[in-house]
Amino acid sequence: MRSIVVRVGSGAFFASLLLLALLLAFPDRREPLVAAYELVLGALAIGAILGALRALEPGKWEAPSVFERSAEKPPRPEPIAELERMDRVLVLAASSAFDVHHRLRPLLRDLTSERLYAHHGVELDREPERARALVGDELWEVVRPGRELELRSGPGLPLADTARLVLALERL
């Protein structure tokens, strides 16, 4: 509290000295200089009041500075569970044929079946020849009805190949 009084007192003293110097330099500008002096004293009084309030409750009135706020990282959004699941499926499918057959293939079959029926009126399981002509050989090899898992520990499907399959799906 004492530091607040010292700061306000020294501020008022220097403002008074400045007013005196300006009045001596510009005697004909007395009214605007006194008005400016009153504004400075009012600002010092407001500063003293705010300082006293801050002294009463130290943590309550302090806001982080602009630099502190800019250094804070924005909160990271919650991951979307379905996207995380799809990411896991793609990673696993890239590692083994088993995961391609049992994890990626059902997803691709569902999407292919829905798109074929919605855009072309073709059912994947009932009209395999028409479906094959529409989806293309590469996607057909993965989604065709009756596809069996040849080698359980075989190589997976590289992500580049999966990307081509997704593009083929999007073209449907």
Side-chain angles (χ1 to χ4, degrees), residues 2-169:
R2 185 169 187 239
S3 66
I4 296 170
V5 173
V6 170
R7 278 189 267 164
V8 171
S10 63
F13 176 73
F14 286 119
S16 299
L17 285 179
L18 181 62
L19 174 68
L20 183 61
L22 289 173
L23 284 175
L24 291 174
F26 305 104
D28 56 332
R29 302 269 187 188
R30 182 176 178 256
E31 287 182 24
L33 289 174
V34 171
Y37 175 71
E38 290 171 350
L39 283 175
V40 170
L41 290 181
L44 287 171
I46 290 173
I49 292 169
L50 290 176
L53 287 174
R54 285 188 185 133
L56 291 176
E57 296 182 40
K60 184 175 181 181
W61 299 93
E62 294 178 14
S65 71
V66 174
F67 297 110
E68 290 171 340
R69 284 192 306 261
S70 67
E72 294 175 4
K73 293 183 179 177
R76 191 172 189 174
E78 290 291 321
I80 300 171
E82 186 66 19
L83 288 178
E84 284 188 339
R85 187 177 78 80
M86 291 297 294
D87 187 48
R88 276 192 307 272
V89 167
L90 292 174
V91 168
L92 290 170
S95 63
S96 77
F98 177 83
D99 290 309
V100 171
H101 188 77
H102 290 288
R103 295 180 195 271
L104 183 62
R105 181 175 181 269
L107 291 173
L108 292 177
R109 270 187 61 81
D110 288 345
L111 291 170
T112 303
S113 180
E114 288 174 17
R115 296 206 41 123
L116 278 173
Y117 190 74
H119 296 283
H120 304 285
V122 175
E123 291 186 28
L124 181 66
D125 292 326
R126 290 190 179 173
E127 303 171 85
E129 293 305 317
R130 285 185 64 201
R132 181 178 186 164
L134 290 169
V135 300
D137 292 334
E138 191 174 19
L139 181 58
W140 180 254
E141 195 53 41
V142 177
V143 299
R144 66 181 162 83
R147 179 180 189 259
E148 295 294 324
L149 178 62
E150 295 170 10
L151 184 59
R152 183 181 177 102
S153 62
L157 192 63
L159 288 177
D161 294 348
T162 305
R164 282 198 308 274
L165 295 178
V166 170
L167 288 174
L169 259 172

